[in-house]
Amino acid sequence: MEYLSYEFGPWGVVPNFKKKKPILVGVVGSGNLEILIEKKPTIDLCKFFYKEIGKDFFWRDRLKWSDGDWKNYISQDFFKLYILKSNNKLAGYYELLYDPISRSMEIAYFGIFKEFFGKGIGGYLLTDAILNSFKIKINKVWVHTCT
C-alpha cells in the first residue's frame, strides 16, 4: 500500500508534500486516521466494502455482478481504491475512476462504516478523494449520490 499524507491546519485538511515516508495523517473524532491506496485490490475486498457499507443505503447495482464483472471493473487502468483506517481498523473507502476522454474523475463509490458515523471522518475522507482527484490534470470531479 502507498500512503498519502495530509495534515490538519487551521483551515482544514491540507496536503503534506514534504514527507515521503508513511505517517499518520490526522486525528479526527475518536482516533488516528490514515488513508491508503490499495495497489492490488481484490474482488473480495471490493465486494466487502460495497456490500457492508452499501447495505444501509440500498446499493444494489453490483450485487448481481459475477466475479468476472468485478475483475473487469477493478482491473481497469483508471480504477483506484482508497481505504480509510481509524486506529488501524477499517473505517471506510472510496473508489476513483478516471475518464481520459473527458479528463474527469468520478468518485464512483464513497462511504464509511456505520460505527464511524457522527465522528467527523466523512468530510475528511471526501476531502481526500477530491484532493487525490486533482493530482492529475482534470477538468472536473463528479459523484453520484444516493442518500
Side-chain angles (χ1 to χ4, degrees):
M1 293 186 189
E2 177 182 299
Y3 286 77
L4 179 62
S5 125
Y6 293 98
E7 296 176 345
F8 287 92
W11 298 279
V13 180
V14 293
N16 179 345
F17 297 109
K18 296 177 184 172
K19 296 186 179 179
K20 301 284 185 195
K21 294 183 179 182
I23 62 167
L24 287 177
V25 294
V27 177
V28 174
S30 65
N32 292 319
L33 300 176
E34 60 183 349
I35 297 171
L36 312 114
I37 183 168
E38 180 62 51
K39 289 200 172 204
K40 294 184 180 182
T42 65
I43 293 168
D44 289 338
L45 181 61
C46 293
K47 281 169 133 175
F48 169 76
F49 279 123
Y50 182 83
K51 288 179 181 178
E52 291 303 311
I53 290 177
K55 68 184 173 188
D56 292 321
F57 301 104
F58 307 105
W59 294 357
R60 302 284 185 257
D61 300 354
R62 297 183 186 178
L63 294 178
K64 61 186 174 195
W65 280 13
S66 68
D67 282 353
D69 293 329
W70 278 102
K71 184 174 180 175
N72 289 338
Y73 178 72
I74 68 175
S75 297
Q76 297 177 76
D77 290 336
F78 302 117
F79 170 82
K80 301 290 183 219
L81 175 68
Y82 292 83
I83 299 170
L84 171 66
K85 291 185 176 184
S86 175
N87 292 319
N88 216 21
K89 183 177 181 181
L90 292 177
Y93 85 116
Y94 66 87
E95 298 173 357
L96 294 181
L97 280 176
Y98 174 65
D99 180 351
I101 296 169
S102 66
R103 291 189 27 211
S104 66
M105 189 72 75
E106 176 186 6
I107 302 172
Y109 277 87
F110 168 95
I112 58 175
F113 289 102
K114 198 173 194 174
E115 68 190 87
F116 294 96
F117 288 5
K119 298 183 190 266
I121 66 174
Y124 174 75
L125 187 61
L126 183 58
T127 298
D128 190 77
I130 293 167
L131 290 172
N132 265 319
S133 296
F134 282 103
K135 281 186 156 185
I136 60 173
K137 293 186 181 196
I138 59 172
N139 294 323
K140 67 178 178 178
V141 175
W142 59 286
V143 63
H144 291 280
T145 60
C146 65
T147 56

